[in-house]
Amino acid sequence: MVFRLFNSLTKKEEEFQPLKQDKVGMYTCGPTVYWFPHIGNMRAYLCSDLLRRTFEYNNFEVELVINITDVGHLTSDSDEGEDKMIVAMRREGKTALEIADFYTQAFLRDLNRLNIKPAHHYPKATEHIAEQIKMIKDIERNGFTYQTSDGIYFDTSKLPQYGILSGQKSEDKQAGARVEMKDKKNSTDFALWKFSPTGSQREMEWESPWGKGFPGWHIECSAMSIKYLEMPFDVHMGGIDHIPVHHENELAQAIGCCGAYHARFWIHNDFLIVNGGKMSKSLGNLFTIDDLVVKGFDPMSYRYFVLGAHYRAKLNFTWDALTSAQNALRRLQKNVRDWDAPAIGCAKYELRFLDAINNDLNTPQALAILWEMVEDTSQPTSARAQSLLKFDLVLGLCLDDFVGKRLEIPEEVSELMRKRDEARQKKDWGESDRLREEIKNKGYSVEDTDKGQKITE
Ligand code: AMP
Ligand code: ZN
């Protein structure tokens, strides 16, 4: 079946075929490890995981790279401000390495809690300075750079196709927010290498042909993606905020260095927003996976919540919406516990499911098909189980922990149920209700059916 994906570079849905036989090279822009990732960031990695799993579902082998930005990402996207890592070092009184290690571990832990499959490589910017310098030298040799008092800049006016991704020309940028020009020639020009401030020793700096300094933020992703995946590779991915600056500049660097774009498909997820607005620390509406767990949510409910929206649609986060997602997931888990062992599968649902996810990752539709199948009692539970576990290869909701896994009731809860049965036979409804409450406090709920008491988590 054809796999169609929306390519931000061509602004159309295109049929996906790997450039190298059946092996997909995929690069997802990783975190800047100066703080805990928030749930918006984690939406980006969930979308990347969804795409990776969908490739695998289509029988393509995937090689995934997620970089770790541990230098060069400044507090402003226009090459101004301080390095976010240095801000964190000062805040916490730690070395750059300690900061990077700590927040990289936090990131990997969140990936794990959300059942996001690990990447094959997690290259760090600081461990690839030589590759970045080499790339800048190539761009310089090809005549795309100039030097200012504070660094080596890419001259975007030399590249007629600059703006291809964002559709934004340098005049548009000037018309918008104030752009720091300093001695840059064009507002869209960006730093490839920044010089260390004179007279002071910077905490993170390296020797280069242009003097001591550090790389600009964009060069790491071009240099490391080409190193690990060889150009051209299939997919480059990130959140939509990367379209106008980071990815536009990456494309410029690839042309400047190698005369061609380094990736074929450019895929961008839209934002997670809160009450219609941006998530930000200052508004107090920025949450982490830990915040969800503290409030009693299973991280998998957040995964389910994210899958409920198309990756190219904005998704509004509210606690009520997360609660609904958790309830739906719990209902699904309960539903499948007493199913028979997987066998055969339901071909018609599998076809429809594949059609939905191969249609630019239409997960809302895929989930609707999943529910239709789960509730279709005309199909044996064994067949539904088989197909559901297949769907979960894409959805990653850990449903194999539930399908056919009957609930193991602790002895004390069974005892309470026996007592409740006796009370009900004696028509002692008060005692029966009290016991139901006691059972509930132990994390189970009982329902009275014509076959007797039914217990669920
Ligand atoms: P950063 O660590 O800031 O480089 O961001 C890591 C990833 O998260 C990038 O792909 C961003 O585009 C993405 N991202 C940041 N904020 C959000 C958000 N609110 N919703 C979805 N993705 C986001
Ligand atoms: Zn990047």
Side-chain angles (χ1 to χ4, degrees):
M1 190 180 283
V2 175
F3 181 14
R4 292 174 305 277
L5 265 178
F6 183 85
N7 187 350
S8 308
L9 189 58
T10 57
K11 293 165 192 58
K12 325 192 269 260
E13 247 182 43
E14 290 176 41
E15 178 181 341
F16 178 83
Q17 283 295 341
L19 295 167
K20 295 168 205 117
Q21 272 228 326
D22 290 351
K23 177 135 185 187
V24 177
M26 183 171 166
Y27 186 93
T28 296
C29 283
T32 308
V33 283
Y34 71 110
W35 189 242
F36 295 101
H38 56 67
I39 56 175
N41 299 137
M42 296 320 291
R43 182 184 187 197
Y45 303 108
L46 282 167
C47 292
S48 156
D49 191 50
L50 169 70
L51 179 57
R52 181 245 182 104
R53 286 169 178 267
T54 306
F55 283 135
E56 290 173 348
Y57 199 70
N58 280 277
N59 295 319
F60 301 132
E61 199 189 322
V62 176
E63 185 161 10
L64 173 65
V65 181
I66 301 182
N67 66 299
I68 302 290
T69 298
D70 54 357
V71 69
H73 195 177
L74 305 188
T75 48
S76 143
D77 272 353
S78 56
D79 297 315
E80 291 301 319
E82 272 198 288
D83 193 307
K84 293 184 179 190
M85 294 300 291
I86 293 183
V87 174
M89 285 158 69
R90 199 175 320 119
R91 181 185 66 221
E92 300 185 23
K94 291 186 186 157
T95 65
L97 200 62
E98 285 167 342
I99 296 284
D101 279 354
F102 181 81
Y103 292 111
T104 301
Q105 286 314 315
F107 169 65
L108 295 176
R109 181 158 173 258
D110 281 353
L111 291 185
N112 190 274
R113 290 196 287 186
L114 290 168
N115 195 29
I116 293 172
K117 288 183 158 191
H120 301 86
H121 312 274
Y122 292 105
K124 291 183 183 177
T126 52
E127 289 176 2
H128 296 80
I129 300 294
E131 288 83 349
Q132 296 177 70
I133 290 178
K134 155 112 186 24
M135 192 168 201
I136 300 169
K137 273 164 70 180
D138 290 344
I139 298 172
E140 184 178 51
R141 200 182 45 241
N142 293 334
F144 286 97
T145 63
Y146 62 92
Q147 183 163 341
T148 72
S149 57
D150 81 339
I152 304 296
Y153 279 77
F154 192 106
D155 185 347
T156 54
S157 67
K158 297 233 167 112
L159 207 67
Q161 59 273 62
Y162 190 85
I164 185 170
L165 194 61
S166 60
Q168 197 179 29
K169 296 288 171 203
S170 89
E171 309 83 70
D172 301 337
K173 274 208 166 175
Q174 275 167 326
R178 194 179 72 92
V179 177
E180 280 294 346
M181 284 292 284
K182 289 230 169 135
D183 42 0
K184 284 202 300 193
K185 292 186 186 166
N186 310 287
S187 64
T188 41
D189 294 353
F190 57 91
L192 295 165
W193 187 264
K194 294 264 289 187
F195 302 137
S196 294
T198 39
S200 65
Q201 212 195 337
R202 196 180 179 269
E203 283 102 319
M204 286 189 287
E205 60 183 7
W206 292 266
E207 294 291 350
S208 83
W210 314 280
K212 263 196 193 150
F214 59 99
W217 171 37
H218 317 297
I219 197 77
E220 65 168 278
C221 285
S222 304
M224 298 195 296
S225 62
I226 292 171
K227 170 171 176 169
Y228 287 90
L229 296 173
E230 289 170 22
M231 75 180 275
F233 56 90
D234 296 286
V235 177
H236 200 312
M237 193 162 180
I240 46 160
D241 54 327
H242 284 346
I243 292 178
V245 182
H246 183 52
H247 285 173
E248 189 71 66
N249 294 347
E250 266 204 58
L251 287 166
Q253 291 167 158
I255 297 277
C257 150
C258 319
Y261 296 140
H262 48 321
R264 182 167 166 238
F265 275 83
W266 290 74
I267 312 284
H268 295 97
N269 63 277
D270 209 322
F271 262 33
L272 180 82
I273 51 175
V274 185
N275 297 328
K278 195 175 157 32
M279 263 193 314
S280 84
K281 245 208 254 164
S282 55
L283 293 174
N285 63 8
L286 185 155
F287 305 111
T288 61
I289 296 297
D290 263 339
D291 293 328
L292 308 194
V293 171
V294 165
K295 281 193 179 258
F297 288 96
D298 172 357
M300 217 43 61
S301 309
Y302 181 65
R303 185 171 182 118
Y304 187 97
F305 170 71
V306 167
L307 290 170
H310 191 266
Y311 77 97
R312 287 196 293 117
K314 284 197 198 333
L315 176 57
N316 193 32
F317 177 81
T318 63
W319 293 107
D320 282 350
L322 186 63
T323 305
S324 301
Q326 174 135 307
N327 291 343
L329 182 60
R330 292 273 177 270
R331 192 156 68 84
L332 180 58
Q333 293 166 343
K334 276 180 201 169
N335 237 305
V336 302
R337 276 202 183 274
D338 54 7
W339 281 9
D340 291 333
I344 303 166
C346 309
K348 67 170 180 174
Y349 288 108
E350 289 186 14
L351 262 175
R352 286 175 58 204
F353 181 88
L354 182 64
D355 193 40
I357 52 150
N358 277 5
N359 179 12
D360 195 29
L361 310 174
N362 191 339
T363 50
Q365 198 184 350
L367 280 179
I369 294 163
L370 174 152
W371 275 106
E372 200 183 319
M373 182 191 74
V374 165
E375 287 167 352
D376 182 353
T377 49
S378 73
Q379 303 287 326
T381 60
S382 58
R384 283 181 272 160
Q386 172 98 0
S387 298
L388 187 68
L389 292 178
K390 268 184 93 171
F391 298 170
D392 204 37
L393 295 173
V394 173
L395 304 173
L397 294 167
C398 298
L399 295 176
D400 49 349
D401 291 344
F402 298 88
V403 174
K405 308 270 161 58
R406 282 166 183 76
L407 203 57
E408 284 185 20
I409 314 283
E411 187 46 44
E412 49 171 353
V413 176
S414 303
E415 182 56 28
L416 291 171
M417 284 179 69
R418 269 194 295 278
K419 284 189 185 155
R420 187 165 178 273
D421 216 24
E422 278 169 29
R424 290 182 67 73
Q425 279 173 23
K426 289 188 211 143
K427 299 201 181 335
D428 184 349
W429 309 123
E431 176 67 356
S432 159
D433 285 349
R434 193 194 63 73
L435 286 161
R436 181 205 292 275
E437 214 34 48
E438 207 175 317
I439 292 168
K440 193 172 161 208
N441 291 339
K442 298 205 180 291
Y444 297 86
S445 62
V446 271
E447 218 182 298
D448 297 309
T449 69
D450 40 359
K451 292 191 191 115
Q453 299 182 78
K454 188 172 175 219
I455 188 149
T456 49
E457 266 173 312

